[in-house]
Amino acid sequence: MGVKEDTLEQLGNLKRKLEAGTRVLCLSGLTTPSAKAYVVSEIQRSTKTPVVIVTDLNKDLEGWETDLGFWSPGSKILPFPAFEADVYSGVSPHAETLEKRALALWSLSKGSPDFLLVSAKALAIRTGTPEQIGALGAELRRDEDFPPERLIFKLSAAGYRREDPIANIGEFSVRGGILDVWSPDSDWPFRIEFFGDTVDSIRTFDPETQLSVEQIKSASIAPMREFRLDASELELWAEAAAERFTDEKFARNLKDRTDFAAEGESFSGWEFLMPLVDPRGGSLTDFLGEVIFVVDEPAQIENTLAAYYETLAEHYDEIVNHGEIGLEVSELFLEPEELRQTISGARRLELRRLGRTAAKTDEEFSMALEGNSGRSAADGFPFPEPNAPLFLFPAAENVPEFEIQSRSVMKYNGDLKTFVEDHRAGRTPAEVTFVFQAAGLAERFSDVLRDYDIVLKPESVRIGRLSSGFEISALGVSVLTENEIFGETDLPGVPGTPGAKRRSRPKTSAFISDFRDLKPGDYVVHVDHGIGRFEGLQMIGTQGVEREFMLLVYSDNAKLFVPVERLDLVSRYSSGEGAQPPLDRLGGLGWQKTKARAKRAMRDMADELLRLYAERKLVRGYAFSKDAPWQTEMEDAFPYQLTPDQDTAIGDVKKDMEAATPMDRLIVGDVGYGKTEV
């Protein structure tokens, strides 16, 4: 039997064993993410069973999402990331992370997607129960009762912001009996009209034009976060926290938070303290039915989780010793034994690049180290010893192993002459699929090859996004992307693609361009941490990769390293000449109080402006007549062509002057942009 026939038989046997319910299988030889996604897509298509892919880090989810989207077009793919924020730093998770997690849990409570992408740490986080998550959102149907006051309360508690008009996902507005809301799982916002407590009509609409798109019978409104929060729960938390953290060393840190909570206002990091009154009684596996777990490099995931549990325990001890409040690790995360049990019952396919033999050797070495420590995982310790294996995916089990060899492909980086020579000499596979992100680039490539008398078959060129090319010769699969052919040519600005991810890299140069006179010692403002002192940019190695960070120094010489991917959170401090503001305390709530005061001041100003403009509307002004013939003659004699903006501004000014309401308009423009002509 040849290599190709043997590999095809192995893939067929692998599918059949999964369909038959074999609990654990191992697949080795796949080396590139896109090759793994290709095989996993084939398995999902064959088994018709939802697949849960467990990756090492959050950043791995993006590549899987892109590649699965290419190989399984039209499939429902849900990412479920872990919190990037340190749960003991006093900082809330990023809003985008909260939105993705909430949407995944909400969708899972309604049914299974084709693919669920989970990072290792996300697997260990305690969640609400399916019933709790289901209660956060809302299902509306035309001609059924759903009191608008109840919906407004649910939206606020689930993380929606009240804006008028709405322009983004996660916003809602109320005007009489009409409620507009934009759910994260909808392409368009909903406009819901009530007749009393009855839903009279539901429409989708374009937020830019405010025009209806279509009438619909029902609307599903997903939560923006997986935690419910309202003023009453905050007040309950303030009481419960005062009873729990009675030691005098917690007094200051506790008061910083209870001052907000007692007034019904949230504070930074509340997400990791609210389980005190609203315990997280579930885990991700509670939302899953019959699924197949695909674990991408189990040994790597075990190492990540073991180190993470160790770090969590250390951080908890640190904050307690420093008089800062926090919940125990077991209140926020599954204990290792719980995590082991949730995984052990499901069907599992382990993607081990080097196979189980290498993994078994590593495991035996780890067991020897653990044996020397005098304690084992079976001794009943709630969290692992430093560097001790978790044994979530033990390699010692005697399970069926399959092998499908993949390899990377040649990178030509724009050298098409070499590609043509390789193609003619048979150094490239006879059947190659070329993947381009845009039709224009595909046409350019085809035209160039025609000049060399090479004509591509239409089916060999596909438009889409793939993280990289690969070859599985035994299956007759060979893929080249535009990155291998032309070099780094990803389309910028496309969310969720490799190109968009790389585009965030130049933020450092943009930052330097905007603040070219910024020097060490100058003051900046971080949106979450407040005023700090800029001390330059530094290159730091993390997990074998050099990354650029911005160093900010806070009170007590505390240091914060901001990665270039998050420089959008930093702005230059603006004040009077030579002003030296006090530095905020990293992890303290002084900055949160400053923002809360500013928010209250803005609300007061908004109230004042509303009253002012209400009064202006009641005042009668002088209404000018419409244009007379001499006005038209004067405009026709103007020797220059008006720009569209000038024409619009003139029309708006005339409309204001012809109304009986006092005029309130300011024409703004840079020097030479035609304010005088207007």
Side-chain angles (χ1 to χ4, degrees):
M1 186 180 289
V3 175
K4 181 172 183 178
E5 291 79 8
D6 183 57
T7 303
L8 283 169
E9 184 179 343
Q10 290 223 37
L11 180 58
N13 287 337
L14 173 62
K15 291 177 181 177
R16 282 190 288 274
K17 283 192 173 292
L18 283 169
E19 289 169 359
T22 305
R23 197 177 65 81
V24 183
L25 298 169
C26 178
L27 177 60
S28 63
L30 297 176
T31 56
T32 64
S34 48
K36 292 177 181 179
Y38 170 77
V39 173
V40 171
S41 293
E42 288 292 312
I43 289 170
Q44 197 278 332
R45 248 191 305 275
S46 174
T47 61
K48 303 285 193 299
T49 303
V51 172
V52 178
I53 298 166
V54 184
T55 70
D56 187 29
L57 303 171
N58 275 359
K59 65 182 181 65
D60 301 327
L61 303 182
E62 297 178 15
W64 272 99
E65 188 173 7
T66 298
D67 293 339
L68 289 172
F70 179 82
W71 294 119
S72 298
S75 297
K76 187 174 183 180
I77 305 170
L78 287 176
F80 186 69
F83 299 124
E84 292 288 4
D86 180 356
V87 299
Y88 295 121
S89 66
V91 176
S92 290
H94 193 270
E96 185 178 349
T97 302
L98 287 174
E99 178 188 329
K100 286 182 178 179
R101 286 178 57 86
L103 181 56
L105 292 174
W106 166 262
S107 301
L108 287 169
S109 70
K110 305 301 174 187
S112 296
D114 299 297
F115 299 96
L116 178 67
L117 311 178
V118 185
S119 65
K121 296 175 185 176
L123 201 61
I125 298 171
R126 293 191 187 277
T127 69
T129 63
E131 294 74 23
Q132 288 174 318
I133 298 297
L136 282 173
E139 298 279 357
L140 304 180
R141 292 175 181 80
R142 198 170 60 198
D143 299 327
E144 291 187 5
D145 284 356
F146 200 116
E149 298 82 8
R150 179 182 162 212
L151 180 58
I152 293 168
F153 178 81
K154 287 177 74 74
L155 293 175
S156 298
Y160 281 79
R161 301 181 310 278
R162 189 164 182 169
E163 302 284 348
D164 193 14
I166 66 172
N168 299 294
I169 286 172
E171 296 178 349
F172 76 98
S173 68
V174 183
R175 298 181 306 282
I178 299 175
L179 187 147
D180 294 346
V181 61
W182 199 339
S183 175
D185 60 347
S186 174
D187 293 332
W188 299 102
F190 301 120
R191 178 158 290 157
I192 303 155
E193 293 188 42
F194 291 89
F195 183 76
D197 288 346
T198 304
V199 177
D200 195 43
S201 76
I202 306 174
R203 290 171 287 161
T204 55
F205 70 95
D206 186 332
E208 292 187 4
T209 64
Q210 296 292 305
L211 297 178
S212 296
V213 176
E214 66 172 331
Q215 287 271 2
I216 55 178
K217 294 181 178 179
S218 62
S220 172
I221 303 174
M224 288 296 292
R225 61 187 179 217
E226 63 193 280
F227 315 116
R228 177 177 175 273
L229 186 74
D230 57 52
S232 62
E233 286 209 352
L234 282 163
E235 292 168 11
L236 283 174
W237 180 87
E239 296 173 5
E243 292 177 5
R244 174 159 173 174
F245 302 103
T246 55
D247 194 309
E248 187 60 31
K249 66 180 180 181
F250 297 124
R252 177 181 172 184
N253 194 256
L254 179 64
K255 187 175 185 302
D256 284 344
R257 287 154 176 79
T258 53
D259 282 350
F260 282 92
E263 296 295 324
E265 292 191 24
S266 63
F267 50 85
S268 182
W270 64 266
E271 294 87 351
F272 306 122
L273 289 169
M274 286 305 293
L276 182 62
V277 292
D278 184 18
R280 311 286 182 246
S283 68
L284 178 63
T285 53
D286 294 333
F287 293 80
L288 304 177
E290 183 64 28
V291 299
I292 298 172
F293 273 91
V294 174
V295 187
D296 188 10
E297 301 302 333
Q300 198 170 330
I301 288 172
E302 291 223 14
N303 290 337
T304 295
L305 281 172
Y308 188 51
Y309 275 125
E310 182 183 347
T311 302
L312 287 170
E314 289 175 353
H315 284 195
Y316 177 71
D317 290 341
E318 285 176 9
I319 66 162
V320 170
N321 292 334
H322 284 84
E324 297 178 13
I325 64 173
L327 300 186
E328 294 182 7
V329 179
S330 59
E331 294 178 87
L332 301 173
F333 294 86
L334 299 174
E335 295 184 8
E337 182 57 36
E338 291 180 276
L339 183 56
R340 194 177 299 118
Q341 289 176 358
T342 61
I343 294 171
S344 61
R347 280 184 289 172
R348 188 169 80 238
L349 173 63
E350 300 174 356
L351 303 181
R352 296 183 186 265
R353 185 180 304 179
L354 301 178
R356 295 179 68 84
T357 303
K360 188 175 179 180
T361 302
D362 290 342
E363 188 175 288
E364 289 171 351
F365 180 70
S366 297
M367 288 177 69
L369 288 179
E370 189 183 17
N372 291 336
S373 73
R375 306 168 85 172
S376 71
D379 289 337
F381 292 101
F383 292 97
E385 289 293 291
N387 303 316
L390 293 176
F391 299 116
L392 301 174
F393 318 105
E397 289 182 276
N398 186 21
V399 302
E401 182 169 356
F402 301 86
E403 183 179 22
I404 299 176
Q405 288 289 346
S406 74
R407 65 179 185 180
S408 300
V409 291
M410 175 78 174
K411 291 182 180 291
Y412 292 96
N413 294 321
D415 187 358
L416 294 185
K417 185 178 179 182
T418 300
F419 169 78
V420 170
E421 291 172 355
D422 287 349
H423 187 74
R424 286 175 171 167
R427 290 190 290 269
T428 62
E431 297 294 330
V432 181
T433 299
F434 299 96
V435 179
F436 299 92
Q437 294 189 45
L441 205 56
E443 291 173 5
R444 173 188 161 198
F445 179 65
S446 300
D447 291 343
V448 171
L449 292 189
R450 256 187 234 105
D451 293 339
Y452 290 96
D453 298 324
I454 297 175
V455 179
L456 297 178
K457 298 176 183 177
E459 62 270 19
S460 68
V461 179
R462 293 181 61 177
I463 308 302
R465 299 183 182 87
L466 200 60
S467 63
S468 65
F470 66 93
E471 183 181 349
I472 305 178
S473 56
L475 296 180
V477 178
S478 182
V479 180
L480 277 172
T481 70
E482 61 189 57
N483 286 343
E484 284 86 36
I485 298 169
F486 293 109
E488 299 295 327
T489 58
D490 289 299
L491 293 176
V494 182
T497 68
K501 189 179 178 183
R502 270 190 287 276
R503 199 168 76 108
S504 66
R505 180 70 179 162
K507 281 185 178 178
T508 302
S509 57
F511 178 85
I512 294 173
S513 172
D514 291 340
F515 303 92
R516 56 172 58 92
D517 58 340
L518 192 71
K519 57 187 181 297
D522 287 349
Y523 295 96
V524 294
V525 181
H526 190 287
V527 68
D528 291 325
H529 302 289
I531 299 172
R533 192 172 64 247
F534 172 66
E535 292 296 345
L537 297 168
Q538 293 188 11
M539 296 296 294
I540 300 176
T542 57
Q543 299 177 348
V545 180
E546 288 282 319
R547 298 173 65 199
E548 199 162 15
F549 289 81
M550 180 182 186
L551 173 58
L552 306 183
V553 176
Y554 284 83
S555 178
D556 300 327
N557 207 35
K559 295 180 180 179
L560 176 69
F561 291 93
V562 182
V564 293
E565 293 86 357
R566 302 314 314 274
L567 287 187
D568 57 310
L569 299 178
V570 181
S571 59
R572 190 172 186 186
Y573 177 78
S574 300
S575 184
E577 189 68 31
Q580 293 189 355
L583 299 179
D584 284 302
R585 187 164 67 91
L586 202 58
L589 288 187
W591 176 243
Q592 301 299 323
K593 292 179 179 179
T594 301
K595 290 202 296 185
R597 285 195 298 270
K599 190 185 294 185
R600 284 192 287 267
M602 289 171 66
R603 282 201 295 263
D604 293 342
M605 183 184 294
D607 289 341
E608 188 176 333
L609 286 171
L610 284 171
R611 284 195 297 272
L612 173 63
Y613 278 86
E615 293 171 2
R616 289 177 65 89
K617 285 291 184 183
L618 298 175
V619 176
R620 292 289 294 178
Y622 181 80
F624 288 86
S625 61
K626 293 187 178 297
D627 287 352
W630 64 266
Q631 172 77 16
T632 305
E633 290 175 11
M634 185 194 77
E635 291 178 357
D636 291 342
F638 186 65
Y640 304 105
Q641 180 69 36
L642 291 174
T643 67
D645 286 343
Q646 285 177 324
D647 196 32
T648 299
I650 290 171
D652 289 342
V653 170
K654 287 182 178 179
K655 186 177 178 181
D656 283 354
M657 295 178 70
E658 291 165 4
T661 305
M663 183 173 174
D664 186 15
R665 183 176 294 276
L666 178 66
I667 303 295
V668 180
D670 208 343
V671 175
Y673 275 72
K675 297 188 296 297
T676 305
E677 288 83 350
V678 172

